[in-house]
Amino acid sequence: MGSYRRVFHGTAFTSKSPKEVAVWKDCLFCIDENGLIANIVQPSDSEYAELLETYEQTDAFQRLEEGTYLLPGFVDLHVHAPQWIQAGTALDIPLSDWLQTYTFPSEAKFEDVEFARMVYADVVDTLLANGTTTALYFATIHKEASLALAEICVQKGQRGLVGKVVADNIEQTPDFYRDEDTGTALQETEEFIVAVQELAKNAKQGVYPVVTPRFIPSCTDEALQGLGKLAEKYDTHIQSHCSESDWAHGYVQGRFGMNDAKALHGFGLLREKSVMAHSNFLTDEDARLFAKNGSAIAHCPVSNAYFANSVLPLARFMEMGVEIGLGSDISGGFSPSLYDNARQAVMSSRMLEDGVDTGLPAEKRGVPNSRITLNEAFYLATAGGGESLSLPVGRLEEGYAWDVQLVDTKKESARLPLYDPEESNLDIFQKIIYLARPENIREVWVQGEKVHSRN
Ligand code: GUN
Ligand code: FE
């Protein structure tokens, strides 16, 4: 029997595969010094009784209360931290106008590092309180403020992957929100990468620099090329927006005579650790390029309802072997919760399958075989996100990080409708995913450390 830093006793849900959820019933979850799951011991295992007896009376032991369940922490693959200041507003105009009218002016305010620190502290707290243990963040074009976001993730214990945004194209960016010039954008990106890699030496849970061309319209060819080289040199993650809307997709076709996927690939930006937001307009050929390169899609279903002019053919791309996870896309998506986004992913997929125009006969209205199940949405929010980032997170399995949320179904102000003592665990799981609110999330742990609790 090993020596463990902590031992949790309780029932957990985790994805076994995209379609299958496993229930770990009344198990012992043994966590090592590094915050990794060292051992999961089931009641039927021979060492169970002895392990329980050894740890039960120690400070290392935590027994989940009746009605409380363990879920992996969520992995949010696409969040604009600065856009938190406009979340829930400004959703009335198309993407290109939205960027110019609301979003670039909002993000320009983050030149003020003190303001940035205040907002970023709130964003990280809010995401943790919603069960998000790993987040892939866009910051802004400002190096210092972007670095502040990485520092705040470290301080608060969240696993943050953070990008200083690059936007240097004079034709598509306003004077008040643009990198000084291409050379400066690349130099500051490199300095940012080095600084975050330094910060990572003292971050148990990890903090990662991300090469972040905002999207092709915002960037010059030279910047895109240079960023591809930096990503390779420092082996970083890469993030951008890809084929999001009719306009964004059409812009790239107009400029390069090809789709985003091929253009990004040409600049060395479609790699194993790339995560591309949206990607709604990928052709099957584009999707195959993603699958071949191990590049991932951050599906942002709430945001897509406002800005994507479409529903992502999620089931088809999953079937084709593309890595996919979920993103909140604050503030294109108004909600900081991946519960909300998992719910919307299911609902949008159902609407894609059935179609929406009642003027058409049923058989012509939708796209067959488009629906995903709630289990698949849960997979996207957890294991799919971990795979997209090539990190051992998002599953409750040996060797994975102890990144979990403890969900209390009996919380006074947010009690779930559980009336049948014989109700199956998988029904309870579904009720949690559809109905849980932040009040139900009693504790959040990242890499074996408690980072959030609420009574
Ligand atoms: N495309 C370029 N920038 C953005 C952004 O901030 N949000 C969304 N949804 N799409 C973008
Ligand atoms: Fe976005």
Side-chain angles (χ1 to χ4, degrees):
M1 200 177 351
S3 159
Y4 302 120
R5 171 117 186 277
R6 293 189 183 280
V7 175
F8 291 79
H9 177 275
T11 296
F13 301 107
T14 185
S15 283
K16 204 149 77 180
S17 68
K19 290 192 194 312
E20 258 179 308
V21 172
V23 183
W24 290 110
K25 189 166 163 26
D26 296 328
C27 288
L28 296 169
F29 297 87
C30 307
I31 315 306
D32 70 16
E33 281 301 319
N34 299 319
L36 299 176
I37 302 171
N39 203 355
I40 302 178
V41 183
Q42 305 192 57
S44 56
D45 291 339
S46 58
E47 55 190 314
Y48 187 86
E50 196 188 340
L51 196 59
L52 193 56
E53 196 182 304
T54 308
Y55 280 93
E56 211 167 11
Q57 304 303 329
T58 68
D59 289 344
F61 189 78
Q62 182 167 340
R63 186 187 294 277
L64 265 67
E65 283 173 35
E66 171 80 25
T68 297
Y69 297 85
L70 282 161
L71 269 68
F74 289 144
V75 180
D76 190 334
L77 284 187
H78 188 59
V79 199
H80 296 268
Q83 293 177 21
W84 181 234
I85 63 174
Q86 63 180 25
T89 66
L91 292 167
D92 57 326
I93 47 177
L95 179 63
S96 167
D97 304 329
W98 174 80
L99 289 169
Q100 302 287 345
T101 309
Y102 301 116
T103 304
F104 294 158
S106 286
E107 292 192 14
K109 294 180 184 159
F110 288 73
E111 188 177 3
D112 177 345
V113 182
E114 281 319 298
F115 178 69
R117 281 190 184 281
M118 178 182 74
V119 176
Y120 289 162
D122 282 346
V123 172
V124 174
D125 284 341
T126 301
L127 292 191
L128 286 172
N130 279 279
T132 296
T133 47
T134 297
L136 176 53
Y137 288 110
F138 273 60
T140 59
I141 63 168
H142 314 100
K143 187 183 77 172
E144 291 308 318
S146 302
L147 198 52
L149 174 56
E151 286 164 4
I152 288 164
C153 292
V154 173
Q155 284 159 15
K156 292 187 178 287
Q158 189 180 49
R159 184 175 298 93
L161 299 94
V162 182
K164 173 219 143 4
V165 173
V166 169
D168 68 327
N169 183 6
I170 291 177
E171 283 169 23
Q172 290 288 327
T173 53
D175 290 344
F176 61 83
Y177 192 57
R178 183 189 307 132
D179 285 298
E180 202 171 303
D181 54 51
T182 307
T184 309
L186 294 173
Q187 188 188 329
E188 291 194 343
T189 298
E190 185 157 15
E191 289 163 4
F192 176 78
I193 292 168
V194 170
V196 175
Q197 289 185 339
E198 188 60 34
L199 200 58
K201 291 179 181 161
N202 296 309
K204 182 183 179 191
Q205 78 280 18
V207 62
Y208 303 84
V210 185
V211 161
T212 307
R214 180 175 206 113
F215 64 156
I216 287 175
S218 292
C219 298
T220 60
D221 293 11
E222 196 187 345
L224 294 164
Q225 194 78 54
L227 290 174
K229 291 219 172 77
L230 284 176
E232 185 176 16
K233 178 173 174 190
Y234 291 95
D235 188 26
T236 69
H237 289 81
I238 298 168
Q239 62 183 343
S240 192
H241 297 85
C242 176
S243 298
E244 175 178 4
S245 68
D246 284 313
W247 166 76
H249 177 59
Y251 171 92
V252 176
Q253 286 178 327
R255 180 162 142 194
F256 292 116
M258 62 179 85
N259 292 345
D260 285 59
K262 226 180 193 174
L264 289 165
H265 184 54
F267 289 118
L269 293 165
L270 215 56
R271 300 162 62 88
E272 168 64 36
K273 290 199 286 184
S274 298
V275 178
M276 295 297 156
H278 312 299
S279 309
N280 288 44
F281 288 84
L282 294 193
T283 61
D284 282 2
E285 192 188 340
D286 296 335
R288 277 192 288 275
L289 188 59
F290 267 61
K292 185 166 146 243
N293 289 357
S295 304
I297 294 174
H299 176 40
C300 309
V302 174
S303 169
N304 286 172
Y306 296 93
F307 293 120
N309 317 117
S310 60
V311 174
L312 178 77
L314 178 56
R316 186 162 91 240
F317 292 163
M318 285 177 85
E319 189 66 36
M320 290 173 70
V322 181
E323 291 179 357
I324 310 181
L326 281 187
S328 61
D329 194 22
I330 289 168
S331 68
F334 55 80
S335 171
S337 164
L338 280 199
Y339 283 96
D340 284 343
N341 276 280
R343 295 160 192 163
Q344 186 66 49
V346 174
M347 292 189 287
S348 294
S349 78
R350 296 290 288 260
M351 293 173 83
L352 179 61
E353 181 165 305
D354 281 348
V356 294
D357 182 354
T358 51
L360 295 172
E363 65 279 6
K364 292 214 172 119
R365 215 177 284 144
V367 181
N369 306 317
S370 291
R371 68 170 65 184
I372 63 157
T373 61
L374 191 63
N375 285 2
E376 287 172 295
F378 171 67
Y379 174 87
L380 296 175
T382 55
E387 272 166 27
S388 297
L389 295 172
S390 308
L391 293 174
V393 301
R395 294 177 192 267
L396 302 181
E397 269 176 31
E398 286 162 25
Y400 278 71
W402 185 245
D403 289 10
V404 293
Q405 41 184 324
L406 274 60
V407 179
D408 177 4
T409 61
K410 294 180 187 293
K411 167 75 183 166
E412 194 73 32
S413 61
R415 200 188 296 270
L416 300 195
L418 299 171
Y419 295 100
D420 176 1
E422 303 294 311
E423 184 145 11
S424 78
N425 278 316
L426 287 175
D427 279 352
I428 294 172
F429 165 78
Q430 292 187 49
K431 286 181 176 175
I432 288 174
I433 300 301
Y434 272 129
L435 294 168
R437 304 210 303 253
E439 294 97 302
N440 298 101
I441 303 175
R442 293 294 281 264
E443 294 180 15
V444 177
W445 293 69
V446 177
Q447 201 82 33
E449 303 292 331
K450 197 196 293 187
V451 294
H452 168 78
S453 63
R454 94 187 265 160
N455 289 322

